[in-house]
Structure formats: C-alpha cells, structure tokens
Amino acid sequence: MKRTVGEVLITLLERRGVDTIFGIPGVHTVEMYRGLSGSGIRHITPRHEQSAGFMADGYARASGKPGVCLLITGPGVTNAITPMAQARADSIPMLVISGVNRVATFGQEEGFLHELPDQQAMMREVAVLSQTLHHAEDLERVLDRAFAAMTAGRPGPVHIEVPLDVMKQLIDTPAERSMVPTRKVADPAIIAQAARLLEGATHPLILAGGGAVGAADAITELAEALDAPVVTTTNARGVLGGHRLCVPASPSLGTVRQLMAESDAVLAIGTQFGRTDYDMYEDGEAPALACLIRVDCDAQQVTRGRLPDVAIVANAEVAVQALTRQITDTDRNKGQGNLRAAQARGDSLAELPPAYLDHIDVIDAITKAVPGCRIVGDSTQVIYAGNMYAYISQPRGWFNAATGYGALGYGPSAAIGAALGDAASPTVCITGDGGLQFCLSELGTAMDEETPVIFIVWNNNGYQEIERYMCDNVIVPEGVKPSAPDFVAVAGAYGMAAERIEGTDGLPAALDRAKATGKAYLIEMVVP
C-alpha cells in the first residue's frame, strides 16, 4: 500500500537508527508528522527552534548518533541557523529536515506563508549539505546522501527541505537494505610509515580532539604501547580520563606548549588545531611541531591548521587500531611518559590564576558529588576555567559552546538533549544568569520530558567576563548588567524543585538534595 512521503520518511529514519526527533510542528510540517504516532521515535517539543537545534547537538555528542530536527520552513529554519553553525564548528552530526513552500512558488516572493527568497541557498552556507526533495521517489537516496554527508567525512549539520506538495505525494515504502558504509579505512603503507616514526620517537605525544571521542579505548591502548602522554582539547576532555598518561589541559597553556615543543613525534587525532583550543589568548606563540602525524576522517580538514608530515585520512578508531597493531617495541620508553604527563598536569595547574583554580574546585566538587556525571556547559566563568583544565572521568563527559562558534544559551538545551541521548550518565548543566535567559523556558521542556538534569546557575549578576574585558581595555562598561529573574521562582513555576545558595560552599549538599529527587532540579549559586 502506498503511503505519503511524510509517513515513509519516518520509516526510513527509524531504519537508520533514529529514535528521537526535536521539533515544533506547524502547518508546513504536519504531513511529515503523520507517521510519528505509529513509530518508535520519540518526539521532543522545545519552546524554540534554536533550542531544538541545541538539543539535537547535545543528543549527538552524548549518544554518538546524529541529532535530528523537524522544523517549519522560514522562521523555523532561520531560528536553527545558530545551532547548525555551532554544530559545524564542532563537527557534530545534525540532520535538519524542514518544509518549504510548493515548488511552483520558489523565488516568486508573492507573500506566501513562511516564504524565503531561496531557503536552500541560505542553508547551504551553514550546512555541509542542503538538498531539496524535488521528486518523491528520490526520498531514500536523498536520505542516504544526508547520512553519508554527516558521517563519511568531517561530521556536521545537513539540511533536507521537502516542498509542501511533495510531502503529500503517495509512494511505495522501499524494501529494507544495507546502509551505505561510511567508515574510512587507512592506507596500510601510510599506517606503516606513521608507526615507524612513532616507534622510533623517544618523546612521543598524542593530541586528541573532538574527533577522537569515539576512539577513546583504542587511543588508551596506543598511548600505553607508546608510553605517550595524551593532551585533550575541550571537546575531547574525558578521553583517558583519570589515566596516568592523561593531560586534561588546554594546548593554549604554556606548560602544554612546552610539552608539545619537546616531543619528537606528535600524533594529532581528530583535532582541527582550532585557534580557541591552541591559541586561546591569541599570542601567536603555539610551538612548531617535529614530525606531525595527523589522523582525520576528512582530507580537506588535514589541509587546515597545521600541515602534517604524514596524513592518515581514515576513521579515528580504525586508524588508531591499525597503528597499535604495528607498534612492537613497547618497552624502550616505559615510565618516561608517566613522568612527562604528571609534570605537565602539575605545571598546568600552577600556571592558572587563583580565580580559575577556585572554579576548577567547583568542577571537582560536582564530579565527586555526582560520580560519572556529564557536564554540559554554557559560556560562563566555571566553564572557561574547565576548558583550561578539568579532570573528567569518561569520554563525552564534558562539552560546551565556549570555544569555536561560541553560541551563548547553548548549555541548558544541549544538556536536555544529552540526557535524552544517554540516560545512563547523570547530566549536570553549568550555565550563567545571562546564558540561561536565552532559553529560560526550556526548563519546561526538562519537566515535560522528565529529563533529570541538574541545572547549576552561576549567578554573578551579568556578563562579568565581558565587563572585566572592557575594564582591562579602558572601556566604560555598558550593556553588561542585564537584570535576572528570581530563578528559583521561575523553576517553581514550571514545577521544578529549586534552591538558592550563597557562594560555593553549600554546593555538595545541594547536589545531594538534587540527586535525591531523581528529577530535574535547579541550583542557583549567587557568587561575587
């Protein structure tokens, strides 16, 4: 029996492992909702399409699967541009499926509802792929292309638009078949060359970026074989968490840069050498690297940032496992890597200012009170400090939008998405009094969906980091003191338990009370 394009779309998404969709229905998408009720896909309704995008982002980072949004044409997709840009900057797979007006109206600009002059052209500027489904029978191949674009090369956001007249058309449901494989296998000759260089090094080093998260176990095995310290960037924090070879500190710190400079072979896995990771303070003093080997799933990405001596274009896990199999001399440098990593950890902490150390203590208090938790952050002081140094126990256990694109208001929505993507790990969100006001209403989504996120609101009465920056540059501060609501009262209005504490001393006890509820909870920390 033939079914509508909207109904078949849901079936094909299920076959590709989609179990959650974030979206706000409208007249331009209801036909695509027709098949949802009989499916196993859970629909999450945020209060704003920007939050839908950030939830999809958090879901993807926590689960390792693409996050999916279903949005109306026009304002729905324009509201999602910011989270798509964040996802592109951080290489996060996100699928945005939207409606669009009837094909015959394209480019007419005659005042049709939600009309844009050229929606696909606009989305193509931020998506790694944007495609219009012109013919109903092409639905499956367009979805294949979208999933390949999200996962075969450098991951990122993909957009598919379905015209109103196309989504109502009747088609046959395609027979089930194998999905298109996307894991790239490394060239054996290049693997052998890289392995010889690493094995011959006396001071090897591994740099792990966000693209290394899915290869955490393989990287641990390789690091032990090489006795190589592993420096983790913001999006890789938690890889080798707690291991003797882990250096959970930013490559922007002088101590880490010295470690990099003294290494005679550097293996960079899934890292783009982005400025906000490797040159946060824009001092231009990132060191030259001897014998740089880069592993990346995207050949174009290898040409950005540091040009390598050896480039391995392959899936990170596949490449690292292949390298490990080639390493045979594993005893020559034993113990040296341990000492180098320990010294880098100690010297990195000693390099940080007292205020950052206080903020890192807050992170440590959270990880002790909520063991195994995932911390999702917004642009706020504690997160800035943690991006410089934070001991996180597991991969996918720390992420935020304070690097790269730097979208404010990311944390609360992404934390809800993360809790839905991986319910096994407790989720803690650290947001500021300014950032939370970008998406304050999403506290209601957390209650609707029963996601037990603990929201910690770092209330320092405004945009304090911007105020400090203005003062440091002899600028009279303006626009940095937006008034905040009574966050506890707002949470209560949504039915969420909440409390306010003064300073940081009461945080562990407050976290215990939050955990005991087993539900979403808000802790407002009023800090100087």
Side-chain angles (χ1 to χ4, degrees):
M1 186 175 68
K2 292 182 182 292
R3 298 188 299 159
T4 67
V5 166
E7 290 174 297
V8 175
L9 169 68
I10 298 302
T11 296
L12 296 181
L13 288 174
E14 271 196 294
R15 288 180 185 175
R16 286 158 177 78
V18 175
D19 56 23
T20 305
I21 285 178
F22 303 91
I24 301 174
V27 294
H28 281 190
T29 55
V30 290
E31 279 298 329
M32 291 191 283
Y33 276 75
R34 189 181 293 278
L36 265 179
S37 63
S39 76
I41 295 177
R42 180 179 182 181
H43 183 273
I44 308 299
T45 308
R47 273 45 177 179
H48 193 279
E49 288 93 354
Q50 178 169 292
S51 294
F54 286 147
M55 288 178 189
D57 177 301
Y59 172 94
R61 296 194 203 219
S63 69
K65 302 191 299 183
V68 181
C69 296
L70 191 53
L71 306 175
I72 64 166
T73 184
V77 291
T78 55
N79 283 340
I81 286 177
T82 294
M84 290 177 71
Q86 185 70 53
R88 180 159 186 157
D90 288 347
S91 303
I92 304 302
M94 177 191 298
L95 176 58
V96 174
I97 303 172
S98 77
V100 69
N101 283 301
R102 291 178 293 109
V103 174
T105 71
F106 283 15
Q108 298 301 312
E109 295 192 65
E110 294 184 356
F112 294 98
L113 181 64
H114 303 327
E115 184 181 39
L116 283 166
D118 190 339
Q119 178 172 281
Q120 190 199 44
M122 179 187 68
M123 299 301 283
R124 194 163 49 232
E125 292 302 308
V126 68
V128 297
L129 172 73
S130 178
Q131 185 153 358
T132 305
L133 180 65
H134 286 287
H135 305 288
E137 60 271 18
D138 289 336
L139 175 61
E140 187 172 33
R141 75 177 73 251
V142 168
L143 274 177
D144 277 349
R145 198 169 299 144
F147 275 80
M150 284 189 292
T151 58
R154 181 189 177 195
V158 168
H159 169 242
I160 297 173
E161 61 179 16
V162 185
L164 289 174
D165 46 342
V166 174
M167 70 176 68
K168 295 179 181 179
Q169 292 177 13
L170 297 175
I171 58 172
D172 292 316
T173 303
E176 291 198 49
R177 59 180 181 79
S178 300
M179 297 299 103
V180 176
T182 58
R183 284 166 64 94
K184 292 183 179 178
V185 179
D187 184 325
I190 295 177
I191 288 289
Q193 179 189 5
R196 286 195 301 270
L197 292 171
L198 290 168
E199 198 170 37
T202 58
H203 293 78
L205 178 69
I206 296 174
L207 302 175
V213 171
D217 291 342
I219 293 171
T220 301
E221 187 177 356
L222 177 60
E224 290 174 346
L226 293 171
D227 198 36
V230 178
V231 174
T232 55
T233 66
T234 294
N235 286 329
R237 201 61 53 79
V239 172
L240 262 78
H243 194 282
R244 61 181 178 82
L245 291 170
C246 181
V247 182
S250 169
S252 292
L253 294 174
T255 295
V256 179
R257 288 175 167 182
Q258 182 179 348
L259 179 66
M260 293 162 62
E262 293 172 349
S263 300
D264 55 355
V266 177
L267 176 64
I269 306 168
T271 182
Q272 61 179 323
F273 287 95
R275 294 299 181 91
T276 50
D277 273 317
Y278 288 84
D279 194 15
M280 184 67 184
Y281 301 111
E282 298 184 351
D283 56 19
E285 295 182 4
L289 299 177
C291 188
L292 174 62
I293 303 163
R294 287 187 67 175
V295 175
D296 204 287
C297 61
D298 185 0
Q300 287 192 42
Q301 190 64 12
V302 176
T303 69
R304 303 184 182 110
R306 301 294 188 93
L307 292 178
D309 297 286
V310 179
I312 302 172
V313 179
N315 170 275
E317 184 178 39
V318 170
V320 172
Q321 288 172 341
L323 283 170
T324 304
R325 287 193 294 269
Q326 295 276 334
I327 304 298
T328 56
D329 184 5
T330 60
D331 296 322
R332 189 153 44 88
N333 299 321
K334 281 296 182 185
Q336 201 174 94
N338 183 22
L339 295 174
R340 293 169 65 209
Q343 182 171 350
R345 290 194 297 269
D347 291 350
S348 295
L349 278 173
E351 184 180 339
L352 295 171
Y356 269 38
L357 296 177
D358 290 342
H359 298 154
I360 291 168
D361 286 343
V362 171
I363 297 168
D364 290 342
I366 294 170
T367 58
K368 289 176 183 175
V370 191
C373 72
R374 174 191 302 107
I375 298 178
V376 182
D378 219 324
S379 294
T380 194
Q381 289 175 319
V382 176
I383 297 300
Y384 299 145
N387 285 347
M388 290 293 106
Y389 190 105
Y391 236 140
I392 304 299
S393 62
Q394 77 279 357
R396 307 185 190 278
W398 173 273
F399 55 84
N400 55 78
T403 60
Y405 194 64
L408 190 57
Y410 166 90
S413 299
I416 294 169
L420 290 163
D422 176 20
S425 298
T427 300
V428 176
C429 172
I430 302 177
T431 184
D433 56 298
L436 180 55
Q437 291 186 76
F438 274 57
C439 54
L440 191 56
S441 58
E442 300 308 339
L443 297 179
T445 307
M447 294 302 294
D448 285 351
E449 305 302 335
E450 299 181 348
T451 51
V453 177
I454 301 174
F455 298 93
I456 299 176
V457 185
W458 184 262
N459 188 348
N460 57 15
N461 189 32
Y463 303 133
Q464 193 175 105
E465 286 297 301
I466 304 302
E467 180 178 1
R468 181 176 298 149
Y469 186 84
M470 291 173 123
C471 293
D472 289 345
N473 287 274
V474 198
I475 300 170
V476 176
E478 288 287 351
V480 293
K481 292 290 187 184
S483 61
D486 183 332
F487 290 110
V488 172
V490 172
Y494 282 110
M496 183 183 297
E499 63 178 283
R500 180 181 295 109
I501 60 175
E502 298 288 335
T504 61
D505 291 344
L507 180 58
L511 288 167
D512 286 342
R513 290 188 288 272
K515 286 192 303 178
T517 68
K519 299 178 180 179
Y521 196 96
L522 184 142
I523 302 169
E524 180 184 0
M525 295 177 60
V526 181
V527 294

